[in-house]
Amino acid sequence: MDQRLTTDGSADQTDATRPAPTGPREPGVPDVRRRIPRTDAVLGDPRLLEAAHRLGSGTVKAAVRQAQERARAGAVAPEEVADTAVALLPRTAGGLRSVVNATGVVLHTNLGRASLSAAARQAVQEAAGPTDVELDLRTGVRARRGRTALAALCARVPSAAAAHVVNNGAAALALVATALAAGKEIVIGRGEMVEIGDGFRLPDLLVSTGARLREVGTTNRTSAADYAAAIGPETAFVLKVHPANFRITGFTRAADAGELAALGVPVVVDIGSGLLAPHPLLPDEPDAETRLRAGASLVTASGDKLLGGPQCGLLLGEEELVRTVSRHPLARALRVDKLTLAALEATLTGPDTPTAVALAAGQAGLVRRAERLARALGADGIDARAVESAASVGGGGAPGVTLPSAALSLPERYAAALRTGPVPVVGRLEAGRCLLDLRTVPREDDERLAEAVRSVPGPAAEG
């Protein structure tokens, strides 16, 4: 069979050797499918040559093949194959797609929680090549990994004498338990034996480290005396866990870090959501600085929640304990890469994060944005309405806290269409309407959001 090589070296059938199209055709009418350009000819398009360097030849060739199949099916004209292939190309070589978070959940776990700031994104790009992550450029000798990020973390939490960073919040607690309590006891209140997302249970994590759990108190009431009665020679530390995704109200009692610090054993506090200092909008959310000042020995937290940084686990507190934990063999398996360190430091030292901006947004401004969008889309015949809504923090932070917000209300059919569009927009359904909550949409994305709504096919006017 006569064959030609495509630009990536594989064989491709020529027009003469390609199997003749099958199916009925009127006599004397040429089959337009014979005009479908060869793969090598399409791959020679300058746009696809550039894309091959950026995305890889395999990805580009797959898009060309898909465009050719559409032409053979009559969905596009043969002359449109190259344009169709370009349109089918992904934006990046990775499988993750950027989406617009219009759910109203500031830290949406399914959407990757915190969005990085522009400063953090720039820092990640700078760190993508060779860096001085473990090298002192002045002396030319090895240096402590992530030293500038750790210094920035301690600067943000003055009561922390030392800090360490691992790959997520659960890892921080697991490392502490392994390094300090393997073969010993951890004293914990029954009301803090929590389960978080995807069936993950805190007691299972702690027991897997080789520690034994000593439960005290009851589900709703646990006092410092309950902890004191349980402490003995086998006690490694007392653990206090913030029940981040639920609230217990009514007849309740819980010992605070200050009371537990007087018991004579280390106190480890898992604050969960990563708030480093008190936040005026979240008065009931625990923070690292306050807990350490009250007497906690160590605090563990997540970096990709209220801190607004990359996924990582933060460990702050007494220098000796941090040193013991950071030198445990497991610490090597849980360490973070240079990209995470770069993003974390830029989050700590840079301007307000998207998380901070979303939390601080006033409802009046959100309502005005929703009204402007509704008017603009209404002028195009789209049933768009500005409505008040209720947003939430998410990510296990500030359970029960409602953030007054505003949303763009659209017919229900828009939910799936926007989610699967060229620029995926994820909203929520309420009372038969698709709501796009603007608290979680940056102001600069308003026009992008409007264009996504306009791109949804359907009748020009909604009933």
Side-chain angles (χ1 to χ4, degrees):
M1 178 181 289
D2 179 27
Q3 292 183 324
R4 299 185 183 182
L5 291 180
T6 64
T7 55
D8 62 358
S10 60
D12 185 44
Q13 295 171 330
T14 66
D15 289 338
T17 60
R18 183 182 292 119
T22 59
R25 188 173 73 251
E26 289 185 39
V29 178
D31 193 333
V32 295
R33 290 176 293 182
R34 294 188 181 278
R35 305 202 322 270
I36 296 173
R38 300 187 309 270
T39 301
D40 59 345
V42 182
L43 288 171
D45 186 291
R47 297 169 296 173
L48 296 173
L49 288 173
E50 183 278 330
H53 289 292
R54 182 168 49 85
L55 302 173
S57 60
T59 299
V60 174
K61 187 175 180 180
V64 171
R65 295 290 197 194
Q66 190 175 351
Q68 290 171 324
E69 287 302 318
R70 291 190 180 185
R72 292 187 184 103
V76 299
E79 297 78 13
E80 298 173 341
V81 167
D83 291 340
T84 302
V86 170
L88 290 170
L89 291 172
R91 290 182 59 191
T92 68
L96 295 178
R97 297 186 65 188
S98 173
V99 306
V100 176
N101 176 13
T103 63
V105 180
V106 177
L107 300 168
H108 200 300
T109 298
N110 300 134
L111 301 181
R113 293 182 180 155
S115 294
L116 294 182
S117 66
R121 296 183 192 199
Q122 183 179 0
V124 168
Q125 186 173 3
E126 184 73 17
T131 69
D132 60 343
V133 64
E134 287 188 22
L135 179 67
D136 186 327
L137 295 175
R138 183 180 57 85
T139 63
V141 299
R142 186 169 184 168
R144 186 184 183 191
R145 183 180 183 86
R147 57 203 176 278
T148 55
L150 296 175
L153 187 54
C154 288
R156 286 283 300 272
V157 187
S159 294
H164 185 65
V165 180
V166 292
N167 59 1
N168 63 35
L173 189 54
L175 180 58
V176 171
T178 303
L180 303 182
K184 297 183 179 181
E185 286 185 349
I186 298 173
V187 180
I188 182 172
R190 284 192 174 87
E192 298 175 8
M193 307 275 280
V194 300
E195 176 179 318
I196 57 177
D198 200 28
F200 177 86
R201 293 182 172 182
L202 183 69
D204 295 341
L205 172 71
L206 296 172
V207 170
S208 73
T209 68
R212 301 188 303 275
L213 299 185
R214 182 75 179 271
E215 303 172 33
V216 299
T218 63
T219 301
N220 60 317
R221 290 180 67 82
T222 306
S223 67
D226 294 321
Y227 290 93
I231 291 174
E234 293 297 300
T235 302
F237 60 81
V238 168
L239 175 62
K240 185 157 184 63
V241 178
H242 175 54
N245 55 1
F246 68 94
R247 296 174 63 189
I248 298 177
T249 59
F251 187 57
T252 64
R253 171 76 167 88
D256 59 34
E259 292 177 283
L260 299 178
L263 300 180
V265 296
V267 177
V268 178
V269 180
D270 178 21
I271 62 172
S273 62
L275 197 61
L276 299 186
H279 194 294
L281 295 177
L282 308 172
D284 297 327
E285 190 69 14
D287 66 274
E289 175 64 20
T290 300
R291 295 304 180 270
L292 288 171
R293 195 185 305 128
S297 307
L298 293 174
V299 166
T300 61
S302 295
D304 59 342
K305 296 181 182 178
L306 288 173
L307 178 59
Q311 177 182 298
C312 59
L314 311 177
L315 200 160
L316 304 117
E318 296 177 5
E319 187 171 6
E320 182 178 350
L321 289 178
V322 172
R323 183 186 301 111
T324 298
V325 170
S326 64
R327 289 181 176 176
H328 190 278
L330 184 60
R332 171 78 180 199
L334 301 178
R335 77 177 190 178
V336 293
D337 70 335
K338 60 183 181 179
L339 303 182
T340 301
L341 289 169
L344 175 61
E345 183 174 357
T347 298
L348 292 165
T349 62
D352 284 346
T353 65
T355 298
V357 172
L359 289 175
Q363 188 184 28
L366 297 173
V367 169
R368 287 192 293 271
R369 287 172 58 195
E371 290 173 344
R372 282 196 298 268
L373 285 168
R375 284 194 300 270
L377 293 171
D380 295 328
I382 298 172
D383 177 14
R385 311 169 192 170
V387 298
E388 294 186 354
S389 66
S392 61
V393 175
V401 172
T402 297
L403 303 172
S405 189
L408 193 65
S409 173
L410 300 164
E412 183 175 357
R413 71 178 186 86
Y414 277 82
L418 288 170
R419 208 171 50 242
T420 56
V423 178
V425 176
V426 183
R428 69 178 189 266
L429 289 175
E430 278 188 15
R433 300 280 291 183
C434 170
L435 296 190
L436 305 181
D437 197 303
L438 297 185
R439 181 172 287 275
T440 51
V441 179
R443 180 184 296 273
E444 58 269 24
D445 279 351
D446 280 2
E447 187 53 37
R448 184 183 179 204
L449 185 70
E451 287 305 312
V453 173
R454 292 187 182 103
S455 72
V456 173
E462 302 283 354

